[in-house]
């Protein structure tokens, strides 16, 4: 269990401790308060650059009931804004899975960014294919006046029933200091009856940037 917890952040943490790599690594720790029972958690995360022009992002979520959830994503540009992407998902209560797919940057500027990805192939920890594992997702951000930033990410599962919402978030973040920010950060969760449209879980957050 401890191996699962520390491995996704091991690369980023070691880079943070290396004085030669400080310019290539960003890290943060975020506390998220949910207004639903037992859904609040702490989320450390790190983004980093690796050899072969790989870009990585890892995070872990530690919940009040001692359960955890984490992802590590690696991206590499192929041609222009088209890239290949790989992802590892792990946590308590389910088997690890690993996906590979493609990503495409659609819009990027100093103030706006939008990227979409698709993972058509997933395998479990034993190397077996995960049925109905194709996912389609996005990440976008927009810098606003008054040190505000609006961002969102989310994923749909693609299966026999078509698009089924999986999980996502919206964040309206306000810088309080150079390192500290507060946010309204509702979760976009799947409905009990499924469907492509998520339900909203109200949350607020406080983040410290390293």
């Amino acid at each position: 269990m401890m191996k699962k917890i520390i491995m996704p952040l091991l690369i980023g943490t070691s880079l943070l401790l290396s004085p030669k790599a400080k310019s290539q690594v960003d890290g943060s720790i975020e506390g998220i308060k949910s207004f639903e029972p037992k859904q609040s958690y702490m989320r450390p995360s790190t983004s980093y650059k690796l050899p072969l022009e790989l870009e990585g992002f890892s995070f872990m979520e530690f919940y009040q009931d001692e359960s955890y959830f984490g992802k590590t994503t690696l991206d590499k540009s192929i041609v222009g804004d088209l890239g290949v992407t790989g992802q590892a998902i792990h946590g308590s209560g389910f088997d690890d899975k690993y996906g590979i797919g493609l990503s495409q940057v659609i819009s990027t500027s100093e103030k706006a960014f939008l990227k979409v990805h698709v993972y058509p192939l997933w395998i479990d920890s034993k190397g077996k294919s995960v049925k109905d594992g194709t996912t389609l997702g996005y990440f976008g951000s927009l810098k606003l006046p008054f040190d505000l930033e609006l961002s969102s990410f989310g994923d749909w599962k693609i299966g026999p029933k078509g698009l089924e919402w999986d999980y996502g978030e919206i964040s309206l973040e306000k810088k309080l200091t150079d390192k500290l920010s507060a946010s309204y950060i509702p979760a976009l969760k799947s409905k009990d009856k499924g469907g492509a449209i998520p339900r909203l879980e109200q949350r607020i957050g406080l983040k410290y940037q390293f």
Side-chain angles (χ1 to χ4, degrees):
M1 177 177 174
M2 287 303 299
K3 182 179 178 181
K4 288 185 178 181
I5 292 176
I6 64 173
M7 283 303 291
L9 293 173
L10 183 59
I11 296 174
T13 302
S14 62
L15 287 172
L16 282 169
L17 295 175
S18 171
K20 294 182 179 179
K22 286 184 178 179
S23 63
Q24 295 184 322
V25 180
D26 291 308
S28 68
I29 184 165
E30 186 173 20
I32 295 178
K33 168 61 179 176
S34 173
F35 294 96
E36 293 188 7
K38 299 181 180 180
Q39 295 301 307
S40 300
Y41 57 88
M42 297 294 293
R43 177 164 63 192
S45 65
T46 180
S47 58
Y48 41 88
K49 293 184 178 181
L50 299 173
L52 304 178
E53 297 183 344
L54 287 169
E55 295 185 357
F57 177 72
S58 299
F59 73 84
M60 291 291 297
E61 297 173 352
F62 298 97
Y63 290 83
Q64 294 169 299
D65 62 359
E66 299 186 356
S67 63
Y68 66 94
F69 175 82
K71 284 186 182 182
T72 290
T73 304
L74 295 176
D75 291 297
K76 180 176 174 58
S77 176
I78 302 174
V79 179
D81 293 329
L82 179 67
V84 62
T85 179
Q87 193 171 83
I89 300 177
H90 49 90
S92 49
F94 65 89
D95 192 15
D96 299 351
K97 64 177 184 177
Y98 309 90
I100 189 167
L102 296 173
S103 63
Q104 174 73 45
V105 176
I106 296 177
S107 173
T108 182
S109 69
E110 291 184 359
K111 293 186 176 181
F113 178 83
L114 178 61
K115 186 177 186 178
V116 296
H117 60 257
V118 59
Y119 290 95
L121 176 63
W122 289 91
I123 60 173
D124 61 21
S125 60
K126 297 179 181 179
K128 295 181 179 180
S129 177
V130 177
K131 294 182 179 180
D132 303 329
T134 300
T135 58
L136 173 67
Y138 70 91
F139 170 77
S141 64
L142 177 65
K143 292 187 182 298
L144 301 172
F146 308 109
D147 287 328
L148 289 168
E149 183 171 358
L150 179 66
S151 63
S152 180
F153 71 86
D155 287 294
W156 290 269
K157 294 179 180 179
I158 305 175
K161 296 181 180 179
L163 285 176
E164 295 280 331
W165 183 258
D166 187 19
Y167 180 81
E169 294 178 8
I170 300 173
S171 174
L172 180 60
E173 184 175 315
K174 165 68 176 177
K175 274 190 171 294
L176 303 178
T177 69
D178 187 45
K179 299 289 187 179
L180 189 66
S181 61
S183 60
Y184 168 60
I185 184 169
L188 304 173
K189 293 191 170 182
S190 59
K191 297 178 180 178
D192 293 337
K193 296 182 180 179
I197 306 300
R199 66 177 179 88
L200 205 65
E201 178 187 311
Q202 301 293 341
R203 311 184 310 177
I204 54 175
L206 189 66
K207 180 166 67 176
Y208 182 81
Q209 193 84 27
F210 297 108

